[in-house]
Amino acid sequence: MRWENVITHSSRFITRVFNQLFPPACILCTYPTRSANSLCSRCQQDLPILPYHCQQCAQFLSPPTVNGLCTPCQHQPPPFDRTYALFPYQPPITSLIVQLKFHHQLAIARAIGHLFIQRFQQAYGGQPLPDLILPIPLHPNRLRERGFNQAVELARPIARAFNLPLDIKGVKRTKHTAAQSGLLAKEREHNIANAFTAYRAYSGLTIAVVDDVVTTGSTITECCKVLKQQGAKWIDVWCCARRG
Ligand SMILES: [Zn+2]
Ligand SMILES: [Zn+2]
């Protein structure tokens, strides 16, 4: 047996023994679980369900509207065409996102990525998937500070599962802005205006834009504006959590 084969076999054996001794834990309650999304069955059942929402921007709608759209989307449609949000922004999703973003818990991104995969297997059914996945870029200063882009980490397992290209260079965040949290809707719009620049054409492409949380949608809107200017045909927004 060649040396590299011996090493591969040994490392597989060690991984197996390690997993037997220390089974992977649920990301919410630490109960042992081997599920792909790293959630035990109980925590998975208890996940919050997104209320009835606008098909285009995922704004919660009460009561439902006839065409499934909120009033702003009917009168002044955003530059994206549909939003798939996994959860409302409420516990325990809020703490998962904080753990991911500020405590470098990348296992959470993989877990949420798997929840997206489960959802999209139903949501897209026979429909074609987008041509590429574009995680919302961070400004280089923010990326240096954090060490990773949470949107890229969320998108990675989805891209792998559906064999879709991940576009992390086509659009850049060229304006360093203050954090959006704590700002009012109008202030958010102003803060993020012209923050993105495209470095390629997107003529005729269908794109999935990924972000962790969508609040007023101003960041997504600004990024999608640039993509549509570059010729994007259709944009789906994939976000982990939507604030109502
Ligand atoms: Zn659990
Ligand atoms: Zn809407």
Side-chain angles (χ1 to χ4, degrees):
M1 195 185 277
R2 290 163 64 94
W3 270 113
E4 47 270 43
N5 290 344
V6 173
I7 293 166
T8 312
H9 281 281
S10 316
S11 70
R12 276 199 204 128
F13 176 73
I14 292 166
T15 310
R16 242 188 353 253
V17 171
F18 188 84
N19 281 342
Q20 287 294 328
L21 292 173
F22 308 102
C26 170
I27 51 168
L28 283 170
C29 71
T30 71
Y31 189 80
T33 177
R34 295 190 190 280
S35 74
N37 58 29
S38 306
L39 288 163
C40 71
S41 50
R42 183 174 242 172
C43 288
Q44 198 164 326
Q45 273 167 24
D46 289 346
L47 289 173
I49 293 171
L50 200 72
Y52 185 84
H53 55 274
C54 170
Q55 300 304 301
Q56 197 159 351
C57 72
Q59 172 68 56
F60 305 162
L61 286 178
S62 179
T65 56
V66 181
N67 57 9
L69 296 175
C70 68
T71 314
C73 284
Q74 288 181 50
H75 295 299
Q76 207 178 358
F80 47 87
D81 302 279
R82 186 169 49 183
T83 298
Y84 289 112
L86 279 185
F87 303 109
Y89 191 67
Q90 68 181 62
I93 305 303
T94 37
S95 64
L96 282 183
I97 287 173
V98 168
Q99 288 296 318
L100 164 63
K101 267 164 97 162
F102 304 110
H103 300 280
H104 218 282
Q105 298 287 315
L106 295 185
I108 292 174
R110 285 193 293 276
I112 297 172
H114 277 282
L115 291 169
F116 271 116
I117 295 164
Q118 285 174 330
R119 166 81 186 274
F120 293 155
Q121 277 159 346
Q122 300 157 5
Y124 282 87
Q127 296 173 62
L129 286 158
D131 295 313
L132 58 89
I133 306 182
L134 191 143
I136 289 281
L138 287 183
H139 188 270
N141 293 358
R142 183 67 43 80
L143 187 62
R144 220 167 300 129
E145 226 170 79
R146 191 169 292 160
F148 66 99
N149 177 352
Q150 69 281 1
V152 172
E153 299 309 319
L154 288 172
R156 263 188 223 289
I158 317 174
R160 212 174 300 128
F162 296 119
N163 200 20
L164 294 173
L166 197 58
D167 180 359
I168 50 176
K169 293 201 174 135
V171 174
K172 294 204 168 104
R173 197 146 167 166
T174 39
K175 188 172 120 186
H176 190 39
T177 56
Q180 292 281 80
S181 51
L183 299 181
L184 300 171
K186 275 281 155 214
E187 293 170 333
R188 280 170 180 261
E189 265 175 46
H190 183 72
N191 187 40
I192 200 78
N194 306 314
F196 298 95
T197 310
Y199 289 87
R200 55 164 285 188
Y202 287 95
S203 312
L205 294 178
T206 58
I207 303 172
V209 171
V210 178
D211 208 358
D212 53 343
V213 182
V214 170
T215 303
T216 59
S218 52
T219 305
I220 288 280
T221 297
E222 210 50 41
C223 183
C224 293
K225 232 189 250 176
V226 169
L227 292 171
K228 284 275 167 102
Q229 278 161 5
Q230 294 301 316
K233 186 172 75 181
W234 178 276
I235 302 176
D236 278 349
V237 172
W238 295 349
C239 71
C240 170
R242 180 65 158 100
R243 277 188 208 255

